[in-house]
Structures are given as C-alpha cells and as structure tokens.
Amino acid sequence: MMTRSNRLAALVASAMLVALPVTPAAAQTLPLPPPGTVGDVLSPLEDLVSEITGPLGDLACQLNGDEGVPLDNAITLCGEDAVDAAIALSRITFQDGSSHAFIGRDDVFADTLSSVAGQGLAGAPLLLTQTGAIDDRTSAALDELGVTRVTILGSVLAIDETVEAQLVQRYGADNVERFGGPSRIETAADLAAGLAPQADHVALMRAYPAAGADQSQAYADALSAGPFASSLGIPSLLTTTDYLHPATLAYLQSADVSTVTIIGGELAIGAAVEQALLDMGITVNRVSGVNRWDTSIKIANQMDIFDASDANRLILTQGGSDDRPLWAAGFAAAAHGAVYQSPVILADGPLLPPETLSFIADGVLSNALRLSNQPVVCNSFVDFLACETVALMMVGSLDEANQLTGGGLEAALGPVFEQIRSLVEQILPGAGEAGPGLVGQVLGLLGVTGNEEAPDSDLCSDGIDNDEDGTIDESDECAAAFAAAGSSTAEQQLQAALSTLPTDVQDAVIRLVGPAGDRVSPSTQGVITTVLTAVNAALDGSTVDAADDEQGAALIDLLDAITAGVEDRASATTIVAGLDPAIAALVAAIAVDAVGGILD
C-alpha cells in the first residue's frame, strides 16, 4: 500500500503525469443517431436509450409520454443515491472499461471535491462507498469496469483501514494508493502533487461555504469546473476564501505554477487570494458570473462552448440545494464532460435559471439547421420538467418548452424569444413534414432532396426484429442500413448528397454552408436562410441543372456572391439587394420566364 499524505517534497519527485491526454473513452462514444434525409429534423438519440439501458439496468430510464412528451433526444440517469449516481456516470463514460478508479466517501463531498480535475488527469471514474465497507454496487462496478488499480480519496477518517485492506487484498499493495490530508485542502494539494507534480496551470476553487451558508455553496462551482479542468488536464486546488492556504501555496511553489484559473467571484475566493498569486508572479484568470448558474455558463465559455450548439452534448445537473447528495452526480460527470468536450449546465429543481435558458436558446437556431442534433444527458437527481424543457429547446420546440416553464422561457429571453421562434419556424417542419434546414435549402435550389441517402425503411422503421436478436429496431440495424447507403455521419451524408454534382459546384456549396452544414454561427445561418428564401422566390419554383455548364457557372457565381456577403457580415437585405446580377444570370441560364419578387 502506497500512502500519500502531506509530503509535498517527496511527491514532487514522483513520475510526471502533467498534461496527460484524456483518453479513457476516446473511442467509446455513445452511439450517435444515423443521419437521415438531408434537411430532416433528426432524433439525436434514436435507439440510444435501449442500448444504454441494458448495461445500466435501473440506473438509466427513458422519460416518455406517460410523464410528458417523448424525449427522443435525452437520456436520464436515475441513480437513487450517491453510489448509484457515480456508477451511472462511470458506465456511460467508460463503456469499454477503465483500469483505474477513484474511491471516495459517499456521504461527505469534502475529499472528492478535488477529483473533478483528477478524473481527467488519471483517466479514471469516480466511484463512492461507505466509510467502513465497500458497497456491493461499487464492488460490482469495479469488476464491470475491469479496474486493476484504485486511488482512495481522503484520510482514514473518510475511508478507513478496513476498506483499504480489502482493496489491497483485491488488487495488491502496489496498486492501491491513498491521497488524504487533515482537511480537504491538503487532500487536493496531495492529489495534485501526485498526479501532476510539475503542472504549470491549475484551477483554484473555494473549499468551504460562507459562515451559515448552505454546504452547496462550497461545491456548486466545482460541478461545472470539473469538465473544464479535466479536459485541459490540469489539477484543481482548494483554498479558503480570505487567504491562500499554506498547503495550496506549497504546491504552487513546488510545481512552479505559472497560471491559475480562479473559479468563482470574490465572495468565493477573495481579492486577497488573487493578490497573493499576483505577488508570486503568477498569471491569474478569474472565471465568474453573478451567481452559480451564470458561473457554470462562463466555465463553458472557457471550453470554447458559447452556446448549446457548440457542445457535443449537454450534461444537465441539479445545482440547487436539497437533502440529496447532488454533488455526487456532478462530480462524477467531470470525466464524461472531458471525454465528450461537453459542459455541465445547471438546473434549479424543476426550473431552469435564466442563464441556463439563454445559453440553450442561443444555440436553438444552429441546432435546428444541423444535420444531426446533440444529445442531452440528464444527470441523477435532475427534475423531469427541467430535463424535458432542455430536450425540447434542443430540437427547437420553443412553444412547448415555454409552456412547460409557465412562460419562463419567453420572460427570460424577452423579445429575442419571438425572433428565434420566427427563424426556427422557417426551418423546422410541421407535423409529419421534413424541414429544409440550411443544407436542405441549398440542395433544394439544386433539385437535390437527399432522399436517396435514407436507408431502407424495412430495416429501420418496420417494427420488426430484423437481426433476430430479440429487440425491435435497434440502432445497429439502422446503422447498417445507413452504412450501406454510405451515409453514417453528417459529413458523409452531405458529401453523398453532393456527390452527383460537379466538383466546382460542390466546393461552392461547402464554402457557403461549411463542411458539415453546421459550421456557421446562428446569426449567419439566419442570414443565409433569409437570402435563400428570396432566391427561391426569384426562381419561382425552378431548380438548377448543375451539370449544365452555363447553369452551373451561374450557380457558382450566385453562391459565391452570397458567401462574400456573409463574410463581409452584411445583412440579409443588403446581400439580397446585391444579388440582382447573379440571379439574373442564373434566371437567364435556366430560362425562367416568371421571375417575380426580387427582380421586379
């Protein structure tokens, strides 16, 4: 058994693990939905729930119409306690297993607070157990993951010698280590020194709540900071609010840290701490918002995720305060957020704070225009209404989401709500219809519908167990059909739709919409959509034969004129006004008699 206590000098000499890449599940992604017809609004987690529910058992559940609208684009984790919540995250993150795991106490969050960054550094999930015994569920999870090495978080007061002895018997003394000091601050410094003895960048978080405040104040910022620190491969340290704790100072000096990112405002980590860091010659960045909800969004921004459409998926975690161990689910989500470069955003019971609503709303238009949408992982302890609201917003169902929130969405967004809804209505389909989307509108101009890229419905939506494995319409059946159609990703789908066009026309389309049709900002997409609507009106229903030399050349000139206007950040009205010559040339080439509208 390797014991780690507060001996920083010895730890500095240990093997360098700083800036290790986060690779535990790089090739273990949750199955994405197979792309459908170009322009269709897809179900982001089509058939995902059936696949995930198998290994998760009772820890995952699909919310359905019995409680509200079907959430085809969300999966919910239904852990009943801290142990369940941690196991659920480990399973959906490390689907091919993990040789290393952290073990923490299930009833107090203090020593596991630093694990939110440690998970990324070590490539290890966080599992929880009781102080005096290994929980049977945790024991089974260790076997399921294929763990061969464990790290205990906390002193013997957190995880006692009995548990340690059981783990040593199970894995051998050389494969069990403990990081634990007299307080959570020393434990964090201890862990940082063991995993990253020469880190040049660290995250610094508050260790304790203010006097008389709820305990959630101490960990609220850490819920979202976990994916940020883990994805960067930097350790997280703790400090008191009013002064830089000596254990933290010792690590900063021994590691020769040059940059510190402070998580939270001055009520969390005071100006005196920041000044002490500056006096050491350390560069200080502070990430903070007006409250915990806003801080979670600011942390997402630090990951270059500026709205919901920038993330590969969203992890929704309960960030309020109640008697449940909310911290367990939030801490355990750190590795998942790092692997999938996805932020943890916060709910407040059944409500979504205005900051969270705005973050999702800012990505609504972009999501509606994508070839496929991102999933939502609703963490254990998240209220169904909050989960349903996020899922609806992610697929552009603003009216339904607004109704669920009792008008809260419209109140939070103000006039922007109507602007976004108006733009989304131009893109999303009505009941039973396919929406054109950005790519769909461009291809519609060319007479390309994309239907030929869809798989045979006999395989994917016939209600038959085609591969005779006992489950109807699994995603492997659909995936096989899509693979046969050469269309297993959004990029492949776009290329398949364009494959019959001349290369120079393909290039012009991609210059406008991006390589996967979703690479431009929501505001730019709105401009392009408005311009294309005007172009289609000018063509009066006619389409372009891109293979015809004259029509193809005129089409390229038109698309490049739109692209140039977009790159100049011109308004849709300005771009449309400047397209008259290009449209006239295209109209002449395809012999359109009734132009109407724009050229009149």
Side-chain angles (χ1 to χ4, degrees):
M1 162 69 187
M2 293 186 296
T3 301
R4 306 277 187 176
S5 59
N6 196 24
R7 294 171 295 180
L8 294 178
L11 290 171
V12 170
S14 63
M16 287 182 57
L17 294 175
V18 65
L20 284 180
V22 181
T23 57
Q28 306 162 18
T29 56
L30 295 177
L32 293 175
T37 301
V38 171
D40 280 359
V41 177
L42 306 176
S43 299
L45 291 190
E46 183 175 332
D47 290 326
L48 169 61
V49 174
S50 62
E51 291 199 3
I52 292 251
T53 302
L56 281 180
D58 293 335
L59 301 186
C61 59
Q62 182 181 18
L63 300 181
N64 55 45
D66 295 335
E67 300 177 76
V69 301
L71 300 185
D72 293 330
N73 62 320
I75 183 169
T76 64
L77 304 179
C78 297
E80 293 295 326
D81 60 14
V83 172
D84 276 352
I87 291 172
L89 265 302
S90 75
R91 284 174 172 166
I92 66 168
T93 306
F94 298 87
Q95 294 176 56
D96 289 343
S98 174
S99 61
H100 186 190
F102 289 114
I103 302 291
R105 181 176 177 176
D106 71 335
D107 58 342
V108 177
F109 66 85
D111 290 310
T112 53
L113 189 58
S114 58
S115 77
V116 296
Q119 291 170 51
L121 283 166
L126 171 66
L127 298 175
L128 302 171
T129 191
Q130 292 77 49
T131 295
I134 301 176
D135 191 286
D136 289 342
R137 294 165 294 172
T138 298
S139 180
L142 290 167
D143 288 340
E144 180 184 309
L145 289 164
V147 169
T148 59
R149 175 188 170 208
V150 296
T151 296
I152 299 171
L153 299 175
S155 70
V156 294
L157 296 178
I159 302 291
D160 73 18
E161 295 97 328
T162 302
V163 174
E164 183 179 307
Q166 292 174 335
L167 292 171
V168 168
Q169 183 177 14
R170 188 169 182 170
Y171 300 114
D174 290 342
N175 294 314
V176 177
E177 60 184 344
R178 181 192 293 268
F179 294 95
S183 78
R184 64 190 69 179
I185 298 178
E186 284 88 357
T187 296
D190 211 7
L191 180 61
L195 295 179
Q198 292 182 325
D200 62 354
H201 183 188
V202 302
L204 184 62
M205 305 182 298
R206 74 186 303 167
Y208 303 102
D214 186 89
Q215 286 294 311
S216 68
Q217 191 181 76
Y219 66 73
D221 292 340
L223 300 177
S224 299
F228 162 70
S230 281
S231 64
L232 289 181
I234 63 175
S236 58
L237 299 171
L238 305 176
T239 187
T240 48
T241 296
D242 298 328
Y243 63 92
L244 186 61
H245 193 278
T248 300
L249 173 62
Y251 172 82
L252 294 172
Q253 292 173 330
S254 65
D256 196 20
V257 171
S258 61
T259 303
V260 171
T261 296
I262 294 177
I263 306 296
E266 291 189 357
L267 293 179
I269 295 180
V273 174
E274 182 173 350
Q275 188 58 54
L277 295 170
L278 293 172
D279 291 343
M280 295 170 62
I282 292 175
T283 299
V284 178
N285 304 313
R286 186 184 288 271
V287 182
S288 66
V290 296
N291 51 41
R292 65 181 63 181
W293 327 108
D294 192 31
T295 296
S296 75
I297 302 304
K298 296 298 193 299
I299 293 170
N301 297 162
Q302 292 295 305
M303 299 172 68
D304 292 329
I305 299 171
F306 297 98
D307 62 49
S309 70
D310 289 332
N312 295 312
R313 63 190 57 192
L314 295 183
I315 306 168
L316 184 65
T317 290
Q318 166 64 2
S321 174
D322 60 36
D323 293 333
R324 295 171 298 174
L326 307 178
W327 57 270
F331 290 3
H336 195 77
V339 169
Y340 295 100
Q341 287 296 293
S342 300
V344 167
I345 60 173
L346 303 181
D348 186 11
L351 304 176
L352 291 174
E355 295 82 2
T356 302
L357 286 173
S358 295
F359 175 79
I360 301 170
D362 286 345
V364 164
L365 182 60
S366 189
N367 281 335
L369 292 164
R370 297 174 73 96
L371 290 173
S372 61
N373 290 313
Q374 307 95 315
V376 180
V377 176
C378 296
N379 219 337
S380 298
F381 314 127
V382 168
D383 189 276
F384 166 71
L385 287 178
C387 182
E388 186 174 33
T389 301
V390 173
L392 287 169
M393 290 181 68
M394 289 293 284
V395 294
S397 299
L398 297 184
D399 285 330
E400 291 86 346
N402 191 47
Q403 184 176 5
L404 270 183
T405 60
L409 176 57
E410 186 172 6
L413 300 181
V416 175
F417 176 81
E418 286 297 336
Q419 295 171 16
I420 295 175
R421 183 169 68 173
S422 176
L423 286 170
V424 169
E425 285 175 352
Q426 299 177 40
I427 301 163
L428 293 180
E433 300 174 358
L438 179 59
V439 174
Q441 289 206 24
V442 175
L443 298 180
L445 180 67
L446 307 176
V448 179
T449 64
N451 289 331
E452 54 275 294
E453 281 72 53
D456 188 341
S457 62
D458 289 343
L459 287 176
C460 215
S461 60
D462 57 3
I464 298 173
D465 179 14
N466 295 288
D467 59 3
E468 299 182 349
D469 67 348
T471 305
I472 294 173
D473 289 339
E474 286 188 300
S475 65
D476 56 352
E477 298 170 352
C478 298
F482 278 100
S487 189
S488 59
T489 69
E491 287 84 354
Q492 289 171 336
Q493 181 191 1
L494 177 58
Q495 291 300 329
L498 297 178
S499 61
T500 59
L501 303 174
T503 301
D504 52 356
V505 176
Q506 294 184 39
D507 292 342
V509 173
I510 292 174
R511 283 195 294 272
L512 177 61
V513 302
D518 59 3
R519 305 299 195 211
V520 293
S521 70
S523 59
T524 299
Q525 290 169 342
V527 169
I528 294 174
T529 298
T530 303
V531 172
L532 289 174
T533 300
V535 170
N536 280 317
L539 296 180
D540 198 24
S542 297
T543 56
V544 182
D545 179 4
D548 178 86
D549 289 343
E550 186 177 357
Q551 292 185 42
L555 174 66
I556 291 171
D557 288 343
L558 174 64
L559 293 175
D560 283 346
I562 298 173
T563 302
V566 169
E567 290 177 347
D568 288 341
R569 300 185 179 275
S571 67
T573 302
T574 300
I575 295 174
V576 168
L579 291 180
D580 282 357
I583 293 178
L586 183 58
V587 167
I590 60 179
V592 175
D593 294 326
V595 177
I598 189 172
L599 297 181
D600 288 347

